[in-house]
């Protein structure tokens, strides 16, 4: 089976940036802050590209939904080697409040439109840590799913997926078509070279709206408030075990 792979590419605040809460506690500061592709989605893109290099996939399509700045994220995927991209525009408050179910519904429509038979997304985004989109998409499509994947092998019309679980590793075999969510150790994403960055500017990118796909992205969840975690108290050093025991007794931690 020749695979047509749809890959999710979410634009998030860069992992190296210190996130700051807005003064009104309605969210985090995004204006003037460096953004990049969600690291787990970079891993997903790399996996799709490796499948194409192995002649197992015929086309890799990168997808992102959000404001106009998402084009930069998609260009990164194209520079890495994706064949083309689809940008579904969602702006303003709708984007800020968009939930994983809405993203999954959009991806379902794109899967049907593009006739894709494999979807690879990051296991979660580093901004909201929801870890829901891939699972919801599989449910909406009625497809198999291989989540938290640290290794993926194609065997005819099936995938063998090694999953990272609390107790170690679990190997599952799923039938295509399927949804795979990428974990950290699946691969190491390649860097986009300058020539490929230039070529990416000429690769096709379709632009759609959620309305074009017939998807309602209005949120059923409202953000009540966002706050920073409490400041961690500084520790102290002791000279000996007896000093430690005395301090613990003074604090009532031990009898």
């Amino acid at each position: 089976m020749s695979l047509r792979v749809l890959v999710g590419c979410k634009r998030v605040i860069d992992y190296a940036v210190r996130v700051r809460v807005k003064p009104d506690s309605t969210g985090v500061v995004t204006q003037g802050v460096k953004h990049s592709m969600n690291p787990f989605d970079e891993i997903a893109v790399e996996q799709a590209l490796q499948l194409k290099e192995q002649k197992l996939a015929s086309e890799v399509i990168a997808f992102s939904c959000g404001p106009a700045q998402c084009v930069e994220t998609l260009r990164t995927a194209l520079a890495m080697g994706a064949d083309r991209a689809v940008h579904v525009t969602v702006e303003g408050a709708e984007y800020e409040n968009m939930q994983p179910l809405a993203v999954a519904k959009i991806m379902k429509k794109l899967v049907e439109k593009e006739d894709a038979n494999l979807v690879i997304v990051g296991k979660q985004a580093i901004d909201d840590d929801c870890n829901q989109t891939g699972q919801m998409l599989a449910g909406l499509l009625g497809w198999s799913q291989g989540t938290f994947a640290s290794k993926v092998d194609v065997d005819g019309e099936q995938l063998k997926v090694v999953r990272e679980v609390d107790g170690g590793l679990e190997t599952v075999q799923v039938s295509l078509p399927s949804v795979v969510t990428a974990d950290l150790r699946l691969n190491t994403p390649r860097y986009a070279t300058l020539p490929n960055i230039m070529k990416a500017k000429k690769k096709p990118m379709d632009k759609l709206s959620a309305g074009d796909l017939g998807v309602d992205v209005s949120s059923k969840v409202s953000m009540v408030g966002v706050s920073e975690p409490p400041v961690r108290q500084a520790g102290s050093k002791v000279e000996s075990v007896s000093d430690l025991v005395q301090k613990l007794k003074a604090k009532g931690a031990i009898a």
Side-chain angles (χ1 to χ4, degrees):
M1 176 184 288
S2 181
L3 299 173
R4 289 172 59 82
V5 189
L6 180 68
V7 188
C9 304
K10 186 177 183 182
R11 177 179 181 264
V12 299
I13 294 176
D14 190 84
Y15 69 91
V17 172
R18 184 181 182 278
V19 177
R20 294 177 292 117
V21 175
K22 291 180 180 178
D24 60 3
S25 299
T26 58
V28 299
V29 177
T30 58
Q31 295 295 325
V33 175
K34 181 183 177 183
H35 285 68
S36 59
M37 189 190 304
N38 177 45
F40 289 106
D41 290 341
E42 281 189 305
I43 295 170
V45 172
E46 176 63 30
Q47 184 61 37
L49 297 177
Q50 289 184 15
L51 291 174
K52 187 176 181 185
E53 290 168 349
Q54 296 165 17
K55 309 298 183 184
L56 297 170
S58 59
E59 187 175 33
V60 176
I61 307 163
F63 151 77
S64 187
C65 61
Q69 294 91 327
C70 289
V71 170
E72 301 170 9
T73 305
L74 289 171
R75 291 293 179 202
T76 299
L78 293 172
M80 289 174 69
D83 298 295
R84 57 191 180 89
V86 180
H87 177 209
V88 178
T89 57
V90 183
E91 302 281 354
E94 280 191 333
Y95 172 68
E96 293 178 2
N97 298 318
M98 190 164 57
Q99 298 297 307
L101 181 58
V103 180
K105 288 180 177 179
I106 289 173
M107 294 192 77
K108 177 180 183 289
K109 294 292 185 179
L110 289 178
V111 165
E112 296 167 349
K113 181 176 182 294
E114 299 292 346
D115 195 27
N117 51 10
L118 177 61
V119 177
I120 309 178
V121 295
K123 71 169 184 177
Q124 65 194 75
I126 62 171
D127 53 0
D128 56 22
D129 279 335
C130 280
N131 177 23
Q132 297 172 357
T133 303
Q135 293 89 328
M136 288 179 169
L137 175 60
L140 292 172
L141 289 168
W143 287 8
S144 65
Q145 57 182 293
T147 55
F148 315 122
S150 61
K151 185 178 181 182
V152 177
D153 291 316
V154 180
D155 182 13
E157 296 193 4
Q158 293 185 321
L159 298 178
K160 184 180 288 185
V161 180
V162 179
R163 304 178 63 239
E164 298 204 4
V165 296
D166 290 342
L169 299 176
E170 175 186 75
T171 301
V172 297
Q173 188 163 284
V174 299
S175 299
L176 290 165
S178 186
V179 178
V180 172
T181 70
D183 213 324
L184 185 64
R185 278 161 285 278
L186 180 57
N187 58 55
T188 301
R190 68 194 67 189
Y191 288 102
T193 62
L194 182 57
N196 286 336
I197 292 173
M198 301 304 293
K199 290 177 184 177
K201 296 179 180 179
K202 298 181 180 179
K203 288 185 177 181
M205 182 182 302
D206 296 334
K207 186 175 181 180
L208 302 168
S209 69
D212 294 334
L213 298 171
V215 177
D216 178 13
V217 297
S218 59
S219 177
K220 306 298 187 292
V221 179
S222 59
M223 184 70 69
V224 176
V226 177
S227 60
E228 293 190 18
V231 178
R232 186 175 179 179
Q233 298 297 317
S236 60
K237 293 182 179 180
V238 294
E239 297 296 330
S240 65
V241 174
S242 58
D243 289 343
L244 174 61
V245 171
Q246 288 178 1
K247 282 184 174 292
L248 291 173
K249 284 183 176 180
K251 291 180 177 294
I254 60 175

